[in-house]
Amino acid sequence: MSPTAKPKARVLVVDNDPWIPRMAATILGQAGYLVNVAADAQGAIASAVKAPPRVILSAVTLPALDGRPWWERLRSIVDARVIPFVFLTAPGVVPGDIRGFLAEVDDCLAKPFRVEELERKVQDALLRVPHPAVVAAASAEPGAPPRPPMVTPVSTRASQWHRPLLALRGVLGEIGLGSLLVMLEMERKSGILIIETDTATARFFLRKGHIMRAELDGVPPVSGANAVYGVLGWKEGQFEFLIGDVGGVDEIQTSTTFLLIEAARRADELKEQAKHAESVKGNSS
């Protein structure tokens, strides 16, 4: 690729066999792609959060994260549902053998593979899932059906290695969520805070310490400040904070301090309502 040529799409290659990412990075780099590599699931998630790829090549033998394949975790914590995966498999493995395989998005490539096979699989993946700008333009046409949201790249600079960017991990029994949020606000950290219990998962998206977006899985799911209020009442669970640039519009326009005060007020209000209901029940019995 000439110095003035426009780089092609970004590709993330993930494999714990160091030879595979090295070879794939060489092949795709020579073809003009921006290539990031990672050797484990945590490094792959950190890389994808910091510099979202257009295509991901991943081994299927990586250790699971909390019992889930890493690509399922990625698709649950960032808006990455339409990033196509090309799964690097052993001969004879079929898509039905891969947990989390999306038939209209993902593909397989058996190892060992030839140079032309690798390039063709990446090109096919890019054709299956158009560039975000193309999707946005198509969705803007009158009468066009809504399209799933896509990740917008945050950088055009190739980085050959992203180390894991897990900054914090712990349990809520050791540190309160409110204290954790205050610390992240004071340090002006950007990234994704994931809080999990046995029955629920929440994600807070922070930019320079400010909670700009929040999601709480459920039926129905809860978002925005109400999701923060709900999660601040959790006394048990585990959390992890992934450092990375977070894009999008600020859906929460208030400070962390206000959110904490409002959550405490709501909690006190619920306690008073419960006490009043108990008092009424006692008087009527």
Side-chain angles (χ1 to χ4, degrees):
M1 183 175 66
S2 66
T4 58
K6 185 177 180 180
K8 292 185 179 180
R10 183 183 301 277
V11 180
L12 172 61
V13 184
V14 189
D15 201 303
N16 50 14
D17 178 352
W19 182 82
I20 295 293
R22 189 180 303 122
M23 182 189 66
T26 299
I27 294 171
L28 297 175
Q30 290 176 348
Y33 293 96
L34 301 174
V35 182
N36 292 351
V37 301
D40 56 28
Q42 189 61 61
I45 289 177
S47 176
V49 168
K50 187 173 180 63
R54 289 282 313 285
V55 181
I56 297 176
L57 307 179
S58 176
V60 296
T61 55
L62 296 176
L65 290 175
D66 300 332
R68 288 188 290 173
W70 84 268
W71 47 91
E72 286 190 354
R73 167 56 71 86
L74 175 67
R75 283 167 167 162
S76 72
I77 66 174
V78 298
D79 201 2
R81 291 181 291 276
V82 290
I83 296 179
F85 275 74
V86 176
F87 292 104
L88 305 176
T89 69
V93 175
V94 298
D97 297 330
I98 302 173
R99 177 178 163 184
F101 184 93
L102 300 181
E104 297 182 359
V105 177
D106 300 331
D107 201 353
C108 294
L109 177 61
K111 298 186 286 187
F113 48 80
R114 296 191 300 272
V115 171
E116 58 270 20
E117 288 180 320
L118 178 64
E119 293 186 13
R120 179 173 57 83
K121 288 291 186 180
V122 171
Q123 292 171 1
D124 289 346
L126 292 170
L127 290 174
R128 284 196 305 277
V129 182
H131 190 278
V134 175
V135 173
S139 299
E141 296 177 0
R147 301 296 297 270
M150 299 189 71
V151 174
T152 301
V154 298
S155 173
T156 57
R157 179 176 60 85
S159 175
Q160 291 301 311
W161 190 267
H162 279 304
R163 294 185 179 276
L165 295 179
L166 178 66
L168 291 170
R169 173 181 287 161
V171 294
L172 295 181
E174 297 297 327
I175 179 173
L177 184 55
S179 299
L180 178 61
L181 291 173
V182 169
M183 180 184 68
L184 293 173
E185 182 181 49
M186 292 178 62
E187 296 292 331
R188 295 177 60 81
K189 296 297 185 183
S190 296
I192 303 172
L193 178 64
I194 307 161
I195 311 104
E196 293 182 314
T197 67
D198 292 338
T199 58
T201 300
R203 293 168 292 276
F204 293 176
F205 299 82
L206 288 82
R207 182 191 293 138
K208 295 184 178 179
H210 168 67
I211 305 174
M212 54 171 293
R213 190 165 73 250
E215 302 171 351
L216 173 57
D217 294 345
V219 182
V222 182
S223 61
N226 286 331
V228 179
Y229 300 145
V231 177
L232 281 171
W234 293 2
K235 302 302 181 184
E236 298 180 352
Q238 58 188 12
F239 66 84
E240 58 184 30
F241 182 66
L242 298 172
I243 294 178
D245 297 329
V246 176
V249 178
D250 285 18
E251 298 177 2
I252 299 176
Q253 301 290 336
T254 55
S255 67
T256 298
T257 300
F258 176 86
L259 292 171
L260 295 175
I261 293 174
E262 177 64 12
R265 185 193 68 78
R266 293 185 177 209
D268 290 342
E269 189 175 81
L270 289 175
K271 289 179 181 178
E272 288 298 321
Q273 291 175 354
K275 288 172 61 177
H276 178 71
E278 188 66 25
S279 176
V280 171
K281 181 180 178 181
N283 292 335
S284 61
S285 61

